[in-house]
Amino acid sequence: MDDLLADFVAETREMLEASEGEIIAWEADPSDTARVDTIFRFVHTVKGNCGFFDFPRLAGLSHAAEDALADCRAGRREPDAALVSAVLAIIDRIALMVDAIEAGEEFAGEGDDALIAALGADFDHDIAADIPTDTAPTHAPASTILERCDVSDDADATKKPDNTAAVQRSIRLPVDLLDRVMSGVSDMVLARNDLGHRLRQAGNQPTIDGPFERLTTILSDVRDAITRMRMQRIETVFAALPRLVRDLSADLGKQVMVDLEGGDVELDREMVEMVRDPLTHIIRNAIDHGMESPTDRLKKGKREIGLLSIAARQSGNTISIVVSDDGRGLEEEKIADKAVSSGLITAQQRAEMGREAILQLIFEPGFSTADEVSNVSGRGVGLDVVRDNLQKVGGSIKVSSQPDVGTLFTMQIPLTLSIIAGLTVEVSDQRFAIPQSYVEEIIHSSAKALDFTRVGETALVTFRGQRVPCLMLSEVLGLDEGDIAEGEHTMVLLRLASGDLFALAVDRIHTHGDLVVKPLAPAVMQNGYYAGSTLLDDGQPILLLDVTNIASEYGLVSDARTRVLQNAEEAETQAEKDVCRAMLFTDFDGRRCAVRLELVKRIETAPASAIDRSAANPRAVIDNMILPLIGLPDGPIPAEKIRLLRLSDGDCELLHAVREIDDAVELNAKLKPVKDDELIEAVTLVGDRTVSLIDGHELFARYGEPPETTAKPVCRLPGSDWARTILGPLVTSAGYDIAEDSSGPAEDGSEICIMLEEEYEAAAALEVPMAGPLIRLRSLPQAKPGEDTIYRYDREALVAALHKARVAGGTR
Amino acid sequence: MTDLMVMAQIAGRRCAMPAHDVQSVIELGTVTPVPQTPDFIAGITALRSQALTVIDCRRALGFPAIEWNTDPRAAVVSVGGFSYALILDAIEDITTIIGEPGQVTGGFGAEWSRVATGMIETSSGPALLIDLEALIAGPADDVGNLSDAA
């Protein structure tokens, strides 16, 4: 409890400091909505946090301020000087109260009600002017209005705002209960997957599919909520880093640029706190000891601005956070000498130690190589504390470094339980999962551009003009090679948290989806190839590969190598020119064509049966969408399967059939406009051969059309089984999409609504506003006079009504 | 002593495991092999949403891998927070222990001494009391190989 309280005080203070500038700016210009947002967030958070503790007065104040600000944000109220002063007074009061809480005293000052009333005074008046008070849909400051009630209600009125229940309700729960709920939900997800699998096997069953879909939606909602209970984005830690880096580098007279990546990686709230200190510590070290001063950097031929990059990635049950700088690197000799002189290792031991091992000595207790103690780091509280703290939660930290190139710290932090997106691959008839976050790209080996070669024993592939090492998963795991010829494998390109890229050759790719990762027994984990296990839809367990470990086993993780330098170079070249990239392909006339890469949404492979050439313009069915298709040869379709480029301009999509897909290339040569073919924008040279660049504008102007499904009008059905199973198919066949139960009705009248008579009457009695066209169904064949209803089994009338509504909708 | 014991056969010998440690006995379904692990780990299998590590007890004791009829059922035990399914020759019975575990002069033989806590008398005769943790750790030389590989 005391820890929580301290956290609360600290957090509130932090936010107070952060929002101080905003408050002053807001005072200067009350109409500045960005400021209102910041202040709103502050009071909102305070209010939320108060829910955990018994601070009714604090909650009441922040709640009132939040309400007033919410009204400003929603445009129900114009902020004015009076409101600003009232809010500021409340914020001041919050600050005082927080001080009192920290001191463990009861805050004595009176007058909360007056403060709240000051917020409300103006407001009450505004409501009365704008909206009739009885129907006012405002949740607005009930408390403040109550405040102004007459004396007899005074006792109640003062209680109301003081009651935490009026605030966003929250309770505290033991973590292991949350854990149990979470694993229960994970199990439910698995059970659902299993059920889904069986349903697919059993074929289409409308009576079951509907409820099943609903179950799926509900489950995913619940899962999200449960996950959010415990998870927090690492952004919350990252957010403070740029400022920290700025301050530190200013203090130390250095110039450092910070690059953050992977802020959306989520981890356990507790873990977030565990990460904060080590991360801060490493960053301090990097800037203080690692980075050289700008002049030194220039002397060494580096850019004077140092680059500090921090990247987070999730893999199975671990999160890896990599902090790398392009500073002077660790000096092996110096570390070794220090270790010997401080008696950490003997001179003999030292002679036997490799560079890697020597570098890891910096994590030993009482180790600091800094020549003099500065006020930023090197105060004796060293990296050993960082390592101990990480080890306490089952994490680890490693360092690698190259002199004058940089230093790279890799922290691994476990997650107790997680659901991650993963890719299922198959090799030698066995399936394995790979965390999606590592997957950069999947390349089917038939692509010529892959250029699989062996240099010595090492396999290499070419990816975007870069030679990338390639591991055979079957070799790694010691499985049979299988009957797929070397170089015919499917390549999964993986990018590690350190930025290194490598290809993993697998036999084939299965699905990707959410995986519930469970830890494995230590005996299985010991070899370092696996990060956990997960269950497939059919309940078969498969193993999740520990990509980072496999890569480092094969020496594919660079020692901070040239990566930092490389990145800087890349950034420079990117800044220099805006490269135009295109997808190169050969069409059925044998022409070499290219289409701008931005247009290519995906490469599809479709069976010839998916192509319909009966109409004037051929079409193909991809992912249940009917899309226009161009580029087919005149004669019969030459192959059973055909490669299609799925192009998209954002709204419209179309398919371009191609004989062969070549590669993505950069268009460096000059573009020479072409006049005679309107579909060709220009001709250019790629590798000494001409290529026709397709004119995206003309293409979409001619053939583009939005995919069929999105064009369907939506129809909302009564929420009964009868509607779903009997009425649903009829409505669908009339060309409608069925609105999902969970979605709220569209307000713009774009969907039509079918209602049973009882439902309609109920709705009418409640005066529920009904948007859009409405079809009312009655249960009895005879119509009641004067009511525009259709008997529910009168198919013809129903179809006619639906058609009419559709036409009306179309002309709207 | 009224401790209940699950009686089983491993490599043709009668063994006893504390019933308290045996969570359940399941029909062993599909076992997914796990490459690059010591061979006494037969693979993993699913029990509801839980993944169980399947241990071939004969091999875990260090006996050679010869064809041997094993029970289609496996005993599920929990050691160190993880659940394992043990492949045994046969799962026989549950019985009560008579007296304290004792030792036999001369030990139980190289393989057995590592995993046996002692000998117990039960109503159906003597049996070796198995130390599950030691059993799951696998044969000593395998562990050595592993650390070499790692």
Side-chain angles (χ1 to χ4, degrees):
Chain A
M1 177 67 194
D2 284 340
D3 286 353
L4 275 172
L5 200 58
D7 281 351
F8 167 71
V9 170
E11 194 187 347
T12 313
R13 281 257 173 73
E14 223 170 77
M15 284 189 304
L16 263 174
E17 278 163 26
S19 54
E20 219 144 54
E22 303 291 330
I23 293 170
I24 294 159
W26 189 44
E27 194 168 32
D29 179 10
S31 60
D32 190 343
T33 49
R35 311 283 176 227
V36 178
D37 286 350
T38 317
I39 300 165
F40 173 78
R41 272 196 294 277
F42 167 66
V43 287
H44 177 78
T45 316
V46 172
K47 188 198 78 173
N49 288 346
C50 287
F52 286 110
F53 304 98
D54 190 21
F55 297 140
R57 292 178 60 190
L58 205 48
L61 281 171
S62 47
H63 185 48
E66 184 195 2
D67 276 341
L69 290 169
D71 286 322
C72 294
R73 273 158 51 107
R76 285 195 291 270
R77 179 175 187 190
E78 280 298 317
D80 53 29
L83 177 69
V84 174
S85 321
V87 171
L88 291 185
I90 285 188
I91 289 175
D92 284 348
R93 177 58 66 94
I94 290 175
L96 289 173
M97 281 184 173
V98 169
D99 289 346
I101 287 166
E102 194 183 29
E105 299 161 2
E106 190 68 44
F107 184 65
E110 283 299 336
D112 291 2
D113 299 348
L115 287 171
I116 294 173
L119 275 179
D122 209 10
F123 179 63
D124 206 10
H125 167 74
D126 277 357
I127 281 196
D130 293 341
I131 314 153
T133 10
D134 52 345
T135 59
T138 170
H139 61 289
S143 53
T144 57
I145 295 170
L146 274 170
E147 211 68 39
R148 297 163 57 76
C149 289
D150 57 353
V151 196
S152 63
D153 272 345
D154 212 4
D156 276 347
T158 42
K159 251 180 216 160
K160 276 263 166 73
D162 282 359
N163 190 352
T164 32
V167 183
Q168 182 182 2
R169 296 198 314 163
S170 42
I171 51 169
R172 292 196 302 132
L173 291 171
V175 170
D176 61 335
L177 181 61
L178 276 183
D179 276 342
R180 250 172 61 200
V181 175
M182 271 184 95
S183 71
V185 171
S186 312
D187 287 358
M188 263 155 77
V189 171
L190 288 166
R192 188 218 77 94
N193 289 349
D194 188 23
L195 186 61
H197 185 73
R198 276 155 213 254
L199 283 180
R200 272 202 300 281
Q201 278 177 340
N204 221 20
Q205 294 171 57
T207 44
I208 300 174
D209 288 351
F212 181 70
E213 279 307 311
R214 239 171 67 211
L215 177 75
T216 305
T217 331
I218 295 168
L219 200 54
S220 74
D221 281 357
V222 171
R223 208 183 65 179
D224 279 357
I226 290 279
T227 315
R228 271 214 307 280
M229 278 188 197
R230 284 206 62 139
M231 299 303 233
Q232 200 168 30
R233 285 176 170 223
I234 201 164
E235 250 168 15
T236 49
V237 178
F238 278 11
L241 298 182
R243 175 69 193 269
L244 174 78
V245 171
R246 198 201 69 86
D247 288 355
L248 278 177
S249 48
D251 280 355
L252 297 165
K254 294 174 182 178
Q255 292 183 21
V256 182
M257 192 165 74
V258 63
D259 173 36
L260 298 172
E261 201 190 320
D264 56 349
V265 168
E266 288 191 320
L267 68 168
D268 214 287
R269 275 175 205 277
E270 286 175 72
M271 286 299 175
V272 168
E273 290 314 308
M274 291 308 302
V275 169
R276 198 186 296 268
D277 286 347
L279 201 56
T280 317
H281 195 98
I282 290 170
I283 290 169
R284 277 168 196 265
N285 263 323
I287 296 173
D288 193 13
H289 302 316
M291 290 291 175
E292 308 94 331
S293 63
T295 41
D296 284 353
R297 289 183 64 88
L298 282 177
K299 265 184 227 157
K300 287 180 185 171
K302 297 183 189 179
R303 294 206 304 172
E304 55 183 321
I305 301 178
L307 180 71
L308 183 74
S309 75
I310 301 151
R313 281 219 179 30
Q314 182 181 1
S315 93
N317 280 347
T318 55
I319 298 255
S320 49
I321 300 174
V322 176
V323 180
S324 60
D325 66 64
D326 60 349
R328 60 169 73 94
L330 295 174
E331 288 162 74
E332 183 184 342
E333 288 302 310
K334 211 164 151 187
I335 294 171
D337 290 348
K338 176 81 195 266
V340 173
S341 69
S342 62
L344 210 58
I345 51 170
T346 61
Q348 196 202 344
Q349 274 175 326
R350 184 209 152 155
E352 287 164 6
M353 284 170 84
R355 178 179 163 78
E356 279 292 302
I358 290 176
L359 293 185
Q360 309 309 322
L361 289 173
I362 60 168
F363 298 112
E364 295 304 322
F367 204 92
S368 174
T369 52
D371 296 331
E372 46 193 278
V373 172
S374 72
N375 65 341
V376 175
S377 55
R379 259 172 300 186
V381 184
L383 287 163
D384 58 316
V385 181
V386 170
R387 187 178 66 173
D388 286 354
N389 283 342
L390 286 171
Q391 278 176 347
K392 253 181 237 159
V393 295
S396 65
I397 184 164
K398 272 193 297 200
V399 66
S400 62
S401 171
Q402 288 269 302
D404 277 340
V405 174
T407 311
L408 183 141
F409 285 92
T410 311
M411 284 190 263
Q412 302 263 9
I413 307 138
L415 281 174
T416 42
L417 181 146
S418 63
I419 299 171
I420 65 159
L423 182 75
T424 319
V425 300
E426 187 182 306
V427 60
S428 308
D429 299 323
Q430 208 182 328
R431 293 190 193 182
F432 296 92
I434 299 173
Q436 190 86 48
S437 58
Y438 283 102
V439 179
E440 179 95 352
E441 198 158 320
I442 297 165
I443 302 181
H444 289 278
S445 49
S446 54
K448 262 194 298 185
L450 210 54
D451 191 17
F452 182 92
T453 47
R454 283 230 183 223
V455 178
E457 273 305 299
T458 306
L460 290 176
V461 294
T462 309
F463 173 66
R464 303 243 164 95
Q466 199 187 341
R467 296 254 186 226
V468 174
C470 170
L471 292 182
M472 301 291 181
L473 188 55
S474 53
E475 272 178 33
V476 171
L477 298 177
L479 295 167
D480 296 339
E481 294 253 330
D483 47 4
I484 296 181
E486 199 164 78
E488 291 293 307
H489 291 84
T490 300
M491 296 289 170
V492 183
L493 281 151
L494 301 169
R495 189 175 289 281
L496 301 170
S498 61
D500 294 283
L501 193 68
F502 75 100
L504 195 65
V506 299
D507 291 357
R508 61 187 65 84
I509 302 286
H510 281 276
T511 47
H512 55 90
D514 285 353
L515 307 173
V516 179
V517 183
K518 303 261 169 166
L520 282 165
V524 182
M525 293 288 245
Q526 209 170 16
N527 64 18
Y529 288 110
Y530 311 109
S533 70
T534 182
L535 298 189
L536 290 179
D537 289 356
D538 59 4
Q540 192 197 342
I542 60 167
L543 295 152
L544 182 78
L545 297 175
D546 186 337
V547 175
T548 315
N549 240 328
I550 291 176
S552 63
E553 192 93 335
Y554 281 79
L556 298 180
V557 183
S558 58
D559 300 344
R561 227 181 13 198
T562 41
R563 150 180 149 75
V564 185
L565 286 180
Q566 244 173 21
N567 279 1
E569 271 168 30
E570 270 171 32
E572 267 173 28
T573 46
Q574 257 176 12
E576 271 170 25
K577 54 174 183 179
D578 196 9
V579 193
C580 168
R581 298 175 60 88
M583 175 67 84
L584 211 59
F585 64 90
T586 313
D587 71 1
F588 280 102
D589 298 333
R591 276 193 309 179
R592 266 159 64 89
C593 296
V595 59
R596 287 183 192 274
L597 205 58
E598 295 80 23
L599 287 178
V600 182
K601 191 175 170 194
R602 212 177 303 161
I603 298 168
E604 306 272 5
T605 307
S609 60
I611 296 170
D612 167 28
R613 308 180 71 169
S614 56
N617 291 326
R619 275 156 210 287
V621 179
I622 298 284
D623 291 348
N624 295 326
M625 288 207 283
I626 303 171
L627 298 171
L629 173 65
I630 57 168
L632 278 181
D634 290 334
I637 294 164
E640 269 177 34
K641 290 205 169 172
I642 188 163
R643 289 279 193 152
L644 304 170
L645 285 179
R646 186 162 169 183
L647 309 176
S648 166
D649 67 347
D651 300 324
C652 305
E653 290 193 4
L654 60 82
L655 298 166
H656 196 303
V658 299
R659 176 174 289 170
E660 210 174 310
I661 288 177
D662 225 357
D663 192 12
V665 291
E666 285 178 13
L667 298 180
N668 297 320
K670 222 174 109 186
L671 299 180
K672 192 166 177 288
V674 175
K675 290 277 178 289
D676 48 349
D677 190 340
E678 283 174 352
L679 273 182
I680 305 293
E681 177 187 331
V683 177
T684 185
L685 279 179
V686 174
D688 299 336
R689 287 175 63 191
T690 56
V691 165
S692 314
L693 185 63
I694 290 186
D695 189 332
H697 186 270
E698 184 66 27
L699 194 69
F700 277 98
R702 249 192 232 190
Y703 302 104
E705 56 183 69
E708 192 78 10
T709 47
T710 58
K712 276 189 191 173
V714 179
C715 178
R716 182 166 296 278
L717 297 185
S720 69
D721 280 345
W722 177 83
R724 217 167 292 116
T725 55
I726 298 182
L727 187 58
L730 176 70
V731 173
T732 313
S733 70
Y736 284 85
D737 262 347
I738 309 290
E740 278 184 38
D741 286 350
S742 52
S743 66
E747 301 287 323
D748 56 359
S750 62
E751 58 180 43
I752 92 159
C753 188
I754 298 183
M755 279 185 142
L756 295 175
E757 193 52 20
E758 308 92 80
E759 256 189 329
Y760 176 77
E761 277 164 12
L766 287 172
E767 292 179 358
V768 176
M770 273 171 261
L774 182 70
I775 297 175
R776 288 155 62 190
L777 300 182
R778 59 174 189 266
S779 327
L780 301 170
Q782 300 86 12
K784 280 188 212 163
E787 286 197 354
D788 178 21
T789 57
I790 298 171
Y791 173 47
R792 62 176 179 170
Y793 283 115
D794 188 347
R795 188 187 178 99
E796 264 171 44
L798 196 56
V799 170
L802 280 169
H803 187 66
K804 208 173 101 193
R806 188 178 182 179
V807 172
T811 55
R812 198 192 317 273
Chain B
M1 288 282 280
T2 55
D3 278 359
L4 283 175
M5 289 287 159
V6 175
M7 305 304 292
Q9 294 267 354
I10 301 175
R13 302 287 190 276
R14 301 190 72 236
C15 299
M17 294 175 279
H20 178 77
D21 293 340
V22 180
Q23 293 174 339
S24 57
V25 172
I26 57 162
E27 290 286 333
L28 204 55
T30 328
V31 177
T32 309
V34 183
Q36 301 287 24
T37 45
D39 62 0
F40 70 88
I41 296 176
I44 52 173
T45 191
L47 170 63
R48 289 190 296 279
S49 70
Q50 210 185 354
L52 303 179
T53 308
V54 184
I55 303 279
D56 185 334
C57 289
R58 280 183 53 80
R59 293 198 183 186
L61 281 169
F63 287 110
I66 45 164
E67 279 304 312
W68 195 278
N69 285 334
T70 53
D71 203 298
R73 298 168 301 175
V76 179
V77 297
S78 172
V79 176
F82 293 94
S83 294
Y84 300 84
L86 304 181
I87 300 183
L88 306 159
D89 296 356
I91 297 172
E92 289 178 337
D93 197 6
I94 292 184
T95 178
T96 38
I97 182 170
I98 303 169
E100 292 288 328
Q103 297 298 324
V104 174
T105 342
F108 307 104
E111 291 91 356
W112 294 101
S113 292
R114 189 177 59 80
V115 299
T117 318
M119 188 191 74
I120 54 162
E121 286 292 341
T122 68
S123 49
S124 51
L128 272 178
L129 182 59
I130 299 288
D131 175 358
L132 289 172
E133 214 162 306
L135 179 71
I136 278 154
D141 53 355
D142 258 25
V143 175
N145 285 345
L146 245 187
S147 49
D148 283 351

